[in-house]
Amino acid sequence: MLQAHPDLKAADARVVAAQAQADNLSRPVYNPDFGVGSEHGQSQSLEARLSQTFDLSGKREARRASGQAELAIAVAERTEQRQRIATDVLKALADFYGQIAASSLAEQRLELLERFADVADRQYQAGDIGVLDRDLAALARAEAIAVTGRAELNLLKAQQALDAATRHPGYPPPSLPDQLPESGLLNADYNTLAAALPGVRAALAKTEAARAEIDIARSETRSDPTVGVRGGFQENRGGGSGGSLVGLELTIPLFLRNNFKAQVAAADARASAAGIESDASYRLAVARMKAAATQYSRTHTAWMRWNGLSSARIDASVDLLDKVWRVREISTAEYLVQFRQLLDGRAAGAELRAQTWASWAEWLDASGLWQAWLDAAATSDSLNPTASSGK
């Protein structure tokens, strides 16, 4: 699914372009020159010239290093792009399945409150409850209808966000694993992980590219000589003797009006800036990784604590609450308050699960451990693109 993403295709094209440019920059800087000339006057001459500029200043090597650094940047940025897309997709999946759960809960709420309102209406007709209790039940049903409508709208928005993340509308979304990853899977070796991050590698490659530009600028301040050879013949129109011509020439540029020192200083300044940004990128990656690990650890702990209550206990409480109300041990108002608390607790659990998955996506993005997790998840039925469960 991700391989067909247009942003990844564009990144692949940039890598191909960078590879072609690197190949070009690794080739010789100068091509030979060939020329033919003639002269007509008191004498007539014809000559051919061949010249070649020799790279003695190291331009080719400096350009080759620059091309390789740019290629490394393109490759690292493609990996970073793939990781960013995967993060967006997993977050969108977490929200999508979270909204599916919320929509299901809203439908259950509506079903229960419709049944409750029907019972309340029958009891009112029988004279067992007053008009206030009947109206409270009717209002609760109306509220449940509104909640169901909002849930359906939120689910539609989540589907649209998932389609936008995958850029593949209509593609069956993969299911999430049944169990959230354990917080013990968080790797504490932040420094090693940060050094391997594609964003950090790209920043380092940009520094190398900037340093290569210094070498290129310096090579421009050194002269590359041009050696030429020419040969031909000359014939006098007055009948004098002619002869063949052979000559050599040496040309050396003189940097009198522009010694290119300014561009060396500019390249050096850009390399210093790139080095500062690379160091900052590494430190920011470590800080972000620590924050992501802390966030996931806390949300996972909260989810485990909530899950320990079990949804079965909440279902049992709803059934018990209904029985208590039917025997008039609690009022209709008290029933509705406790009923809402129970269902809100169940909805909070579904939302917390989605938030925990989103936190896991942040950790994978911050640590760069996407591929390791995907490889592990691929061994199970999770992340199966043909699945459509609402886990």
Side-chain angles (χ1 to χ4, degrees):
M1 178 174 64
L2 294 185
Q3 294 302 324
H5 199 286
D7 289 349
L8 274 186
K9 289 184 177 180
D12 289 337
R14 286 191 289 270
V15 171
V16 172
Q19 180 64 68
Q21 180 68 359
D23 293 341
N24 175 64
L25 293 178
S26 66
R27 296 180 180 276
V29 179
Y30 303 111
N31 285 309
D33 290 330
F34 176 76
V36 177
S38 65
E39 182 178 336
H40 297 274
Q42 295 296 328
S43 62
Q44 181 176 328
S45 64
L46 179 66
E47 68 175 16
R49 301 182 301 276
L50 181 65
S51 63
Q52 174 67 57
T53 302
F54 293 93
D55 179 18
L56 302 182
S57 60
K59 289 184 175 64
R60 179 181 180 181
E61 179 58 29
R63 285 157 56 93
R64 186 200 66 78
S66 175
Q68 291 299 318
E70 292 294 338
L71 176 59
I73 293 173
V75 171
E77 288 181 342
R78 179 178 62 181
T79 304
E80 186 178 27
Q81 181 70 35
R82 181 181 294 112
Q83 186 170 293
R84 187 179 302 116
I85 292 172
T87 300
D88 292 342
V89 169
L90 182 55
K91 286 182 178 179
L93 273 176
D95 184 53
F96 175 68
Y97 285 123
Q99 293 303 330
I100 286 179
S103 180
S104 177
L105 290 174
E107 290 175 358
Q108 292 177 23
R109 177 195 294 255
L110 178 58
E111 180 182 351
L112 290 171
L113 286 177
E114 282 183 334
R115 186 177 64 189
F116 172 74
D118 291 340
V119 172
D121 189 62
R122 288 196 299 270
Q123 289 186 347
Y124 171 75
Q125 297 295 335
D128 294 335
I129 62 174
V131 65
L132 180 59
D133 289 338
R134 184 200 64 178
D135 291 345
L136 284 175
L139 287 173
R141 175 168 56 185
E143 181 186 16
I145 293 174
V147 169
T148 302
R150 287 196 300 268
E152 291 175 351
L153 179 60
N154 290 335
L155 178 58
L156 178 60
K157 290 180 178 179
Q159 178 66 69
Q160 293 172 343
L162 180 60
D163 291 342
T166 61
R167 301 288 183 90
H168 203 97
Y171 190 86
S175 62
L176 293 174
D178 291 330
Q179 300 296 327
L180 283 157
E182 295 294 333
S183 58
L185 296 176
L186 304 179
N187 193 316
D189 191 2
Y190 302 126
N191 293 327
T192 300
L193 289 176
L197 285 174
V200 174
R201 294 203 311 270
L204 184 60
K206 289 177 182 179
T207 302
E208 295 300 322
R211 289 172 180 169
E213 290 298 322
I214 296 177
D215 293 335
I216 292 175
R218 286 174 177 168
S219 71
E220 295 292 340
T221 66
R222 296 190 288 270
S223 299
D224 288 330
T226 301
V227 177
V229 59
R230 67 180 186 273
F233 66 89
Q234 183 176 20
E235 183 179 291
N236 294 325
R237 288 181 177 271
S241 62
S244 60
L245 300 173
V246 177
L248 294 173
E249 65 179 16
L250 174 65
T251 302
I252 300 177
L254 299 178
F255 300 138
L256 298 178
R257 303 185 66 186
N258 185 1
N259 59 10
F260 300 101
K261 295 294 185 181
Q263 73 179 27
V264 175
D268 186 67
R270 286 193 293 268
S272 297
I276 294 172
E277 291 173 357
S278 178
D279 291 340
S281 175
Y282 174 81
R283 291 194 296 270
L284 180 62
V286 173
R288 184 186 173 211
M289 206 178 305
K290 291 179 179 178
T294 301
Q295 179 181 353
Y296 181 73
S297 179
R298 289 179 178 176
T299 53
H300 183 267
T301 299
W303 159 252
M304 294 301 294
R305 291 177 61 186
W306 183 92
N307 198 40
L309 299 176
S310 81
S311 59
R313 291 176 58 183
I314 294 180
D315 291 337
S317 297
V318 171
D319 293 338
L320 178 61
L321 184 64
D322 186 65
K323 293 177 181 178
V324 170
W325 174 77
R326 287 175 182 270
V327 297
R328 308 295 296 160
E329 291 187 11
I330 60 174
S331 68
T332 301
E334 291 173 329
Y335 170 87
L336 291 174
V337 169
Q338 296 183 40
F339 177 80
R340 180 178 297 175
Q341 289 177 341
L342 288 172
L343 293 190
D344 285 349
R346 185 188 295 171
E351 182 180 358
L352 179 58
R353 178 181 171 84
Q355 290 175 347
T356 307
W357 272 117
S359 296
W360 178 251
E362 285 288 348
W363 160 252
L364 292 178
D365 187 43
S367 64
L369 294 176
W370 262 109
Q371 195 59 51
W373 181 69
L374 287 176
D375 290 343
T379 60
S380 64
D381 292 334
S382 60
L383 299 181
N384 181 354
T386 62
S388 59
S389 67
K391 298 176 183 178

